[in-house]
Amino acid sequence: MDDDWICGRLGEDEPWVLGAVNPPVYENSVFTFETAEELGEAIKNEDERYVYWRGTNPTVDLAQRKLAALERGERAKCFGSGMGAISATISSLVSAGDHVLVLGAVYGPTTQFLRYLEKFGVTHTHVEDLAQCDSAIRGSTRLLYFESPSYMAYQVVDIAGITAWAREHGLVTVMDNTWSTPLFQKPLTMGVDLVVHSLSKYIGGHSDLVGGVVVGPARLVRPLALTEYQLYGAAMSPHDAAKVIKGLRTLPVRMAAHQERGLAVAAFLNDHPGVRAVNHPGLPSHPGHAVALRQMSGFSSLFSVELDTESREKVAAFLDKLRYFRIGVSWGGFESLVNAPALSTEESVRATMGIPVGLVRLSVGLEPADTLIKDLGLALEGLVA
């Protein structure tokens, strides 16, 4: 099935749409039935039947169908936030006494949630590579969680290799695929069991949405849709689902532009004397570039650079001199954003995550690359001087 068609047309020609160019937004919280028996049957299948907004809704369901098709998965479940999807997914797979392996750097709140689970008897271990997985796995290990490219460092994981190892040891694998989007990387086709996304980033694409999704086989998605999704209450609203649908329509065009601009900016910084390193998997100099080319069809525009300084003050001054890059968290929208973790992260936490003082994260938006390169060049002049 063609990804462009999925993004733009899948499900939008069905009778319930009534020929509307934009699929209807079903705002009602409750759906009624002709008989009590019909209601009873619907409640048993509330992940698929329209009963109450907290279960699902036609607008949300359309977004879910598109996302499942893009990831080549059987089922998708949308949540009110990325962390809603991540926390529900992890919770559905572990019980008291279980152990989780975390491969590489992952989103900070994901680690916080795993620490939160410790009070319920679920432990976790962070490992850097497959060799450490071999030494860290326990009899109680149930889950392997990772991102590729990884959080902040943007290291590339050999997805097929790590999932083969996990299957050999009876582990379920969950991967955060937000960086690549389903257009540039399809982890389910490489053996990953469940994929999660923050829909707030590239898929939404306009910095006006908070949402998340989990995609995978029905045998894993349906239980969490009926249990954790319902009990945690992180339901996606139909209005946010409509934004997801609209974001998907332009996703192929936007991602092509993000890739072009991101690589141009990364190449400029890679040659700049004020920059020690550029962590972008699309650059031939990146240590994971060959693996990335094998398992990805493109590159997004989120990456990090290490400035040639150990001074927090100089890092802050660099950010303050930027005019087109705005200072802020999140990423994936039209606007270019910059953030320096060392300025807002406790030193002990930063040291644990291996984040140097000079690390700066750039989200290259859709402004002209020349404009962004000039902006960075002017800000770097003071750093080199």
Side-chain angles (χ1 to χ4, degrees):
M1 193 180 295
D2 180 75
D3 284 348
D4 285 8
W5 185 83
I6 294 170
C7 288
R9 293 292 295 274
L10 177 68
E12 298 194 18
D13 297 325
E14 296 177 0
W16 70 274
V17 178
L18 299 176
V21 175
N22 294 315
V25 178
Y26 280 75
E27 294 183 318
N28 52 292
S29 60
V30 177
F31 295 81
T32 60
F33 299 84
E34 293 293 329
T35 67
E37 182 180 4
E38 188 180 356
L39 171 61
E41 288 302 314
I43 288 175
K44 294 176 185 176
N45 297 285
E46 200 169 349
D47 63 318
E48 295 179 320
R49 297 289 302 275
Y50 307 133
V51 179
Y52 184 63
W53 182 336
R54 193 181 61 175
T56 193
N57 155 293
T59 313
V60 176
D61 190 44
L62 177 57
Q64 291 174 166
R65 289 167 56 196
K66 286 176 176 285
L67 292 165
L70 282 175
E71 281 285 8
R72 306 302 189 258
E74 283 186 299
R75 295 284 297 275
K77 194 64 185 173
C78 285
F79 289 75
S81 71
M83 275 311 300
I86 291 168
S87 58
T89 299
I90 293 175
S91 298
S92 74
L93 298 170
V94 297
S95 302
D98 287 346
H99 174 249
V100 178
L101 275 179
V102 182
L103 175 63
V106 298
Y107 181 47
T110 301
T111 299
Q112 292 173 15
F113 179 72
L114 288 167
R115 290 174 181 163
Y116 173 79
L117 288 180
E118 289 175 358
K119 71 177 184 178
F120 301 108
V122 177
T123 58
H124 67 280
T125 303
H126 281 267
V127 294
E128 294 182 5
D129 52 33
L130 187 55
Q132 289 189 1
C133 286
D134 280 321
S135 59
I137 192 171
R138 306 174 186 175
S140 59
T141 305
R142 299 288 177 266
L143 169 65
L144 175 68
Y145 188 98
F146 66 103
E147 300 180 15
S148 184
S150 66
Y151 182 66
M152 289 294 180
Y154 305 104
Q155 297 173 335
V156 177
V157 174
D158 180 347
I159 297 174
I162 196 64
T163 55
W165 177 89
R167 283 195 304 274
E168 199 175 299
H169 292 81
L171 308 184
V172 177
T173 49
V174 177
M175 180 184 149
D176 187 328
N177 194 35
T178 307
W179 190 93
S180 297
T181 81
L183 295 185
F184 288 163
Q185 187 167 249
K186 300 187 186 299
L188 296 178
T189 67
M190 291 177 269
V192 171
D193 292 304
L194 289 170
V195 169
V196 293
H197 286 269
S198 169
L199 300 174
S200 318
K201 310 303 190 289
Y202 290 118
I203 289 177
H206 298 88
S207 300
D208 61 355
L209 159 72
V210 173
V213 69
V214 56
V215 187
R219 64 180 176 81
L220 294 176
V221 175
R222 188 167 192 270
L224 74 86
L226 288 170
T227 306
E228 283 78 15
Y229 181 87
Q230 294 273 9
L231 296 179
Y232 287 7
M236 171 168 278
S237 78
H239 288 282
D240 284 339
K243 290 180 180 179
V244 171
I245 293 166
K246 289 181 181 179
L248 286 172
R249 288 177 169 183
T250 60
L251 185 64
V253 177
R254 287 187 290 107
M255 291 311 297
H258 278 299
Q259 175 175 236
E260 177 187 3
R261 289 157 173 76
L263 285 171
V265 172
F268 164 76
L269 293 169
N270 204 40
D271 294 331
H272 198 284
V275 176
R276 291 177 183 170
V278 178
N279 303 311
H280 191 309
L283 294 178
S285 58
H286 190 281
H289 183 65
V291 176
L293 289 178
R294 187 170 70 241
Q295 63 191 25
M296 299 167 67
S297 59
F299 302 96
S300 74
S301 61
L302 181 75
F303 62 97
S304 63
V305 300
E306 186 180 348
L307 301 180
D308 189 18
T309 182
E310 302 297 332
S311 166
R312 291 172 182 263
E313 290 72 23
K314 286 190 175 182
V315 173
F318 167 74
L319 266 62
D320 291 345
K321 288 179 181 177
L322 292 166
R323 291 295 173 263
Y324 288 92
F325 279 88
R326 304 183 195 182
I327 301 172
V329 299
S330 198
W331 42 275
F334 170 87
E335 67 286 348
S336 292
L337 295 171
V338 62
N339 185 21
L343 302 180
S344 58
T345 306
E346 292 182 18
E347 189 169 348
S348 60
V349 175
R350 182 178 58 77
T352 300
M353 295 177 67
I355 297 176
V357 171
L359 190 80
V360 172
R361 187 181 74 180
L362 300 172
S363 173
V364 175
L366 297 177
E367 303 94 339
D370 289 347
T371 300
L372 299 176
I373 288 170
K374 183 178 179 180
D375 193 30
L376 291 164
L378 291 172
L380 283 167
E381 283 180 2
L383 188 70
V384 177

